[in-house]
């Protein structure tokens, strides 16, 4: 990835966009149909259609648009929208209305979410540190004080609990558990580092499964995770990535509270008691929906390019960076392409998935429902990393699709967003398409302010840089348009053997094993069938 100062990058974008706008003929009425809606292709042999599309898209997106107001409604008015909640249903209505207002055909597609989940009144009480040096003679006399903690998402409830001993298991490695001794009926404290990179974030998901397994095997009652965000910031982590209720109750403890607790435990081993109550509300199954906007292709309407983002979010904040801004981007991309009056050769679908935060459930269900047509899904483009500058796309382990993607983005070459990577990873809605051999593109973005606000109470609209979001919308629109309009597909659908080879090359197989997805791949329930 290119690394530049964000400030410089923004300035550069601004100057470039301004100068490019200045060179463009004025767009009198962007909603009026173009004289010739059929374009001439978007490839090395004929690059004119991408350049033409870019020139039309830029003023439509960068000028006055409904995007900011759309995003304000989604975040400030609907707010956090956990899949299965009433807010999620409102978000689906928001999306349908926004596509309609953009004059784009839209429908919803239903699937069943097996389990709903909501946090109750979580309480974490620990021995008063002022009493630890001379504890009362009886348990009944022990005073407890409150710490700030939230349940992990889709964690099981824990009610009517007594105070029990806490055991510090360090970073939760096999050695750490060995040193900690018996953990039966105890509550565990696991340490963490503050995350500042994408790699740190992946580790927040890859590290817990082994720790949870050890905790369950040892008969521990619950796990307390030290928060990985500073300044007592509550955030919702989940270690259940299949939509099922997790194996053991877990809470994330505000970082500074957890560090103080760890120091008490170190000073008074086997003396500190904790009482954890998490009356989480479990329900379901319920019907949920993905929202699908569509602009039909004029030549190959049954061939499809998908631009997607997840519409759901966690609910401590309002899901602005994750992923409201990119849900608004998808709607705005549809509006802008429609407003150019140009028609693409292939169909473009704009899909807002739900259930992403529970393990990409909505996109998995979409893939299952559309399995018969996956041979004709030419690419899936996903935006899910907040507002940091786009440097290019992660191509899901593929090299064959790079040349086509580069051609498509050529008109915006100087934006620095045409540098693609060949890695593949879990973590957003492209996964099940990738496992089916469909070419996938996930926007590679700089971290910017994503990680300090990740799934946190602070993920609110004020974190979204609207100018940057508009620039990303132009990129998304040109990418979707260009791949849909190329004479040749950007890449073929891989066979199962090719997908497996690509997973080994990128290490995606190891990630899937760590996260518990591998059996589903091997048995053929998830991914291209054997
Ligand atoms: Zn997300």
């Amino acid at each position: 990835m290119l690394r530049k100062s964000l400030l410089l990058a923004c300035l550069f974008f601004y100057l470039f966009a301004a100068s490019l706008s200045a060179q463009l003929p004025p767009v009198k009425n962007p909603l009026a149909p173009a004289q010739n809606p059929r374009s001439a292709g978007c490839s090395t042999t004929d690059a004119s259609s991408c350049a033409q599309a870019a020139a039309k898209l830029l003023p439509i997106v960068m000028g006055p648009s409904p995007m900011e107001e759309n995003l304000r409604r989604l975040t400030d008015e609907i707010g956090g929208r956990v899949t299965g909640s009433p807010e999620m249903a409102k978000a689906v209505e928001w999306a349908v209305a926004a596509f309609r207002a953009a004059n784009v055909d839209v429908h919803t597609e239903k699937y069943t979410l097996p389990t709903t989940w909501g946090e109750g009144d979580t309480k974490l009480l620990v021995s008063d540190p002022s009493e630890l040096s001379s504890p009362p003679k009886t348990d009944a006399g022990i005073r407890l004080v409150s710490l700030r903690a939230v349940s992990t998402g889709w964690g099981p409830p824990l009610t009517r609990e007594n105070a029990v001993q806490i055991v510090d298991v360090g970073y939760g490695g096999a050695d750490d558990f060995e040193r900690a001794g018996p953990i039966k009926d105890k509550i565990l404290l696991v340490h963490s580092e503050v995350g500042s990179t994408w790699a740190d974030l992946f580790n927040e998901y890859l590290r817990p499964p082994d720790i949870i397994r050890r905790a369950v095997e040892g008969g521990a009652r619950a796990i307390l995770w030290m928060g990985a965000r500073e300044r007592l910031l509550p955030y919702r982590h989940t270690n259940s990535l299949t939509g099922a209720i997790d194996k053991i109750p877990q809470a994330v403890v505000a970082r500074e509270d957890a560090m103080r607790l760890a120091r008490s435990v170190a000073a008074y081993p086997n003396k500190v008691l904790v009482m954890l109550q998490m009356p989480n509300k479990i329900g379901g199954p319920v019907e949920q929906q993905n929202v699908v906007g569509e602009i039909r292709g004029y030549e190959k309407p049954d061939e499809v390019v998908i631009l997607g983002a997840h519409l759901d979010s966690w609910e401590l904040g309002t899901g602005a960076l994750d992923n409201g801004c990119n849900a608004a981007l998808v709607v705005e991309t549809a509006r802008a392409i429609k407003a150019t009056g140009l028609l693409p050769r292939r169909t473009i679908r704009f899909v807002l998935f739900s259930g992403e935060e529970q393990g990409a459930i909505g996109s998995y269900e979409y893939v299952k429902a559309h399995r018969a047509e996956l041979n004709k899904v030419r690419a899936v483009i996903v935006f899910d990393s907040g507002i940091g500058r786009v440097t290019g796309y992660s191509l899901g382990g593929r090299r064959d699709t790079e040349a086509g993607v580069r051609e498509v983005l050529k008109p915006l070459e100087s934006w620095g967003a045409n540098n693609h990577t060949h890695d593949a990873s879990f973590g957003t809605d492209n996964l099940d398409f990738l496992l089916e051999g469909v070419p996938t593109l996930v926007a590679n973005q700089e971290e910017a302010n994503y990680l300090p606000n990740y799934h946190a109470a602070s993920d609110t609209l004020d974190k979204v840089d609207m100018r940057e979001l508009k620039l990303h919308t132009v990129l998304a629109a040109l990418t979707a348009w260009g791949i849909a309009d190329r004479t040749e597909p950007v890449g073929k659908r891989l066979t199962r053997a090719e997908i497996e080879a690509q997973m080994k090359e990128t290490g995606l197989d190891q990630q899937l094993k760590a996260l518990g997805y591998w059996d589903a791949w091997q048995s053929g329930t998830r991914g291209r069938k054997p």
Side-chain angles (χ1 to χ4, degrees):
M1 279 194 217
L2 282 184
R3 298 280 169 200
K4 285 183 193 170
S5 120
L6 193 61
L7 183 67
L8 274 176
C10 288
L11 184 65
F12 173 74
F13 272 144
Y14 178 77
L15 292 173
F16 176 74
S19 68
L20 186 50
S21 303
Q23 293 158 16
L24 298 170
V27 175
K28 284 170 205 133
N29 175 5
L31 290 169
Q35 281 154 339
N36 175 16
R38 302 205 165 182
S39 56
C42 202
S43 63
T44 14
T45 47
D46 190 347
S48 63
S49 119
C50 273
Q52 186 194 9
K56 282 181 181 280
L57 288 165
L58 199 60
I60 294 170
V61 175
M62 299 311 290
S65 85
M67 181 158 57
E68 188 160 8
E69 174 62 4
N70 276 346
L71 184 53
R72 188 191 66 77
R73 286 198 188 152
L74 179 65
T75 54
D76 283 350
E77 292 185 13
I78 296 172
R81 41 204 181 275
V82 175
T83 306
S85 69
E87 291 77 16
M88 185 72 233
K90 284 185 199 162
V92 167
E93 284 171 22
W94 168 92
V96 169
F99 278 121
R100 285 216 178 108
N103 204 22
V104 173
D105 292 339
V106 61
H107 67 277
T108 63
E109 298 187 6
K110 296 185 168 83
Y111 66 90
T112 302
L113 182 77
T115 309
T116 62
W117 182 91
E119 183 169 27
D121 183 16
T122 295
K123 286 199 173 91
L124 174 63
L125 302 165
V126 305
S127 302
D128 185 341
S130 72
E131 287 189 345
L132 286 168
S133 58
S134 53
K137 298 279 180 286
T138 65
D139 272 9
I142 287 175
R143 200 165 58 205
L144 299 173
V145 295
S146 183
L147 299 189
R148 285 152 278 222
V150 295
S151 173
T152 54
W154 266 248
L158 189 63
T159 49
R160 293 193 298 278
E161 284 297 300
N162 303 324
V164 299
Q165 233 183 62
I166 184 163
V167 179
D168 187 329
V169 293
Y171 288 87
D175 294 356
D176 294 317
F177 270 82
E178 190 97 2
R179 259 195 303 279
I183 55 170
K184 185 152 177 54
D185 286 329
K186 295 177 180 170
I187 289 181
L188 311 182
L189 175 64
V190 183
H191 289 236
S192 75
E193 302 288 352
V194 174
S196 61
T197 65
W198 294 124
D200 295 340
L201 185 59
F202 278 104
N203 276 326
E204 278 190 61
Y205 288 93
L206 291 168
R207 201 164 67 95
D210 275 344
I211 298 172
I212 291 169
R213 182 180 49 75
R214 290 184 192 111
V216 170
E217 282 170 6
R221 193 168 291 194
I223 300 172
L224 301 178
W225 303 97
M226 179 183 284
R229 316 274 174 273
E230 292 181 293
R231 297 180 184 274
L232 300 169
L233 183 66
Y235 65 96
R236 181 83 67 213
H237 190 77
T238 184
N239 291 313
S240 163
L241 298 176
T242 59
I245 295 301
D246 214 335
K247 298 183 191 77
I248 182 170
Q250 300 158 56
V252 176
V253 184
R255 181 170 184 82
E256 288 81 356
D257 279 357
M259 293 173 89
R260 185 179 176 191
L261 175 61
R263 290 190 292 270
S264 289
V265 176
Y268 300 96
N270 309 318
K271 295 261 168 58
V272 181
L273 300 180
V274 299
M275 188 168 74
L276 179 62
Q277 294 180 343
M278 293 192 296
N280 295 335
K281 292 160 275 185
I282 314 280
V286 293
E287 203 164 67
Q288 292 294 289
Q289 299 172 86
N290 295 318
V291 182
V292 184
E294 185 172 288
I295 296 176
R296 270 178 87 72
Y298 70 85
E299 187 184 300
K300 298 174 175 175
D302 56 335
E303 294 191 19
V304 177
V305 172
I306 293 174
L307 174 69
H310 69 89
L311 181 57
D312 64 305
S313 77
W314 291 112
E315 82 296 20
L316 294 169
T318 63
L321 292 174
D322 188 12
N323 191 30
C325 63
N326 291 312
L329 169 149
V330 168
V331 172
E332 177 66 359
T333 299
R335 185 191 76 87
I337 291 176
K338 189 81 182 181
T340 61
L342 298 169
L343 288 178
R345 198 175 296 270
R346 299 179 185 81
T347 294
I348 305 176
R349 279 194 198 140
F350 305 87
V351 187
L352 295 177
F353 299 106
S354 52
E356 193 275 345
E357 297 292 4
Q358 291 72 37
I361 293 171
S363 48
Y364 175 39
E365 294 291 340
Y366 184 95
V367 164
K368 280 200 286 184
H370 292 266
R371 243 179 199 145
E373 60 182 72
L374 290 179
N375 278 336
K376 297 200 165 180
V377 176
R378 294 303 182 208
V380 175
I381 307 151
V382 171
F383 277 68
D384 187 14
S385 301
I387 202 63
R389 192 172 75 89
V390 173
T391 56
Y393 291 102
S394 164
L395 300 176
R398 295 180 66 156
R399 291 174 187 278
D400 60 314
T401 57
E402 183 174 1
V405 175
R406 286 191 56 79
E407 276 168 19
V408 161
L409 287 175
K410 210 157 206 158
L412 301 179
E413 187 70 36
S414 59
W415 288 27
N418 211 357
N419 305 290
H420 311 292
T421 58
H422 308 106
D423 53 326
S425 60
F426 78 97
T428 191
D429 289 310
N430 73 313
L431 180 65
D432 281 281
F433 294 96
L434 188 158
L435 295 180
E436 292 281 354
V438 173
T440 73
L441 296 80
V442 178
N444 274 332
Q445 296 181 244
E446 292 178 345
E447 283 91 347
N449 57 357
Y450 191 76
L451 292 158
N453 301 297
Y454 182 68
H455 291 180
S458 59
D459 183 4
T460 46
L461 181 57
D462 40 286
K463 308 300 182 303
V464 177
D465 177 336
M466 283 307 299
R467 182 169 180 83
E468 194 70 30
L469 184 58
K470 286 188 165 200
L471 292 166
H472 296 177
T473 304
V474 176
L475 285 169
L478 184 62
T479 310
W481 164 269
I483 295 176
D485 202 52
R486 280 170 59 81
T487 42
E488 292 305 313
V490 78
K492 63 166 194 163
R493 185 177 179 198
L494 300 184
T495 65
R496 186 175 170 90
E498 288 167 334
I499 300 162
E500 191 149 324
Q502 164 204 315
M503 282 201 273
K504 292 208 166 108
E505 196 185 317
T506 56
L508 181 59
D509 59 336
Q510 296 304 324
Q511 291 180 25
L512 298 186
K513 281 171 193 166
L515 296 167
Y517 289 130
W518 190 249
D519 289 349
W521 161 257
Q522 282 206 308
S523 67
T525 53
R526 220 159 171 167
R528 189 150 196 188
K529 298 230 180 278

